[in-house]
Amino acid sequence: MTDNDDLRDLVRTIPDFPKPGIQFRDITTLLLDPWGFGETVSRLGATVEQEPDLIAAIEARGFAIGAALAVELGCGLLLIRKDGKLPGETIAEDYALEYGSDRLAMHVGAFTPGARVLLVDDLLATGGTALAAARLVRRVGGVVTGARFVIDLPDLGGAEALRREGIEVEALMAFSGH
């Protein structure tokens, strides 16, 4: 991971959101900047050595990054959504958040077994969301080739949790704390 200070300067920090003690790293300010958004996608793309068949973009800010990265890499886009948001038959997985719990879902039959899938989201904290997405992909025979994030919060251990599950992790920048 490089420091990417030019991109880091475009990330806004909102203290005490969504609860006291959390320093929310808001990438919407980065997405508003055309140069910053383009560079983010280009730099994330440059970290991908093995071209995936699909980008699994995790709701919600992960959709913006994942869709752009799928175009950059010339692959398809798989949406990983909050449970109850996708029409048709789905499978779901519960997971813990830094400040609560939730449930992710994806379509059954979204890809054929053996598909190479790269997980993408805006931020990596404890790794619970990304691990749930990886379990969904693996449950239907997908091969998780890695995970990409704009921001890592290394103090919360998410990258290490993913690596323990055999998932290669890259992020463009890291912020200390919560």
Side-chain angles (χ1 to χ4, degrees):
M1 175 173 25
T2 62
D3 59 17
N4 289 302
D5 285 341
D6 52 351
L7 298 178
R8 188 182 172 87
D9 291 342
L10 296 172
V11 175
R12 173 174 58 169
T13 299
I14 301 173
D16 299 320
F17 181 83
K19 70 177 198 177
I22 302 292
Q23 297 294 310
F24 187 83
R25 307 304 177 171
D26 180 22
I27 70 155
T28 61
T29 48
L30 177 100
L31 298 176
L32 285 167
D33 185 286
W35 175 86
F37 186 23
E39 278 297 304
T40 296
V41 172
S42 177
R43 292 179 196 181
L44 275 177
T47 70
V48 179
E49 292 179 19
Q50 181 187 18
E51 194 169 299
D53 298 311
L54 294 169
I55 297 292
I58 302 169
E59 187 169 342
R61 289 170 302 277
F63 288 175
I65 302 298
L69 190 57
V71 170
E72 174 91 1
L73 297 177
C75 61
L77 179 68
L78 170 68
L79 300 180
I80 306 287
R81 299 218 51 196
K82 301 276 170 86
D83 194 27
K85 300 288 185 178
L86 291 170
E89 187 180 356
T90 62
I91 59 171
E93 189 76 35
D94 294 321
Y95 67 100
L97 291 163
E98 178 186 0
Y99 43 82
S101 65
D102 216 332
R103 187 171 173 86
L104 289 179
M106 66 175 241
H107 281 122
V108 170
F111 56 84
T112 57
R116 297 178 324 264
V117 180
L118 179 69
L119 304 174
V120 175
D121 205 354
D122 66 319
L123 184 132
L124 177 60
T126 63
T129 308
L131 285 169
R135 286 192 300 270
L136 284 170
V137 168
R138 288 173 170 168
R139 276 173 55 191
V140 294
V143 177
V144 177
T145 62
R148 296 295 180 275
F149 304 90
V150 177
I151 297 170
D152 180 21
L153 303 177
D155 295 345
L156 297 179
E160 286 308 312
L162 289 169
R163 288 183 185 111
R164 281 193 302 273
E165 293 296 319
I167 300 170
E168 179 258 339
V169 178
E170 292 285 340
L172 292 182
M173 60 192 92
F175 287 87
S176 61
H178 289 81

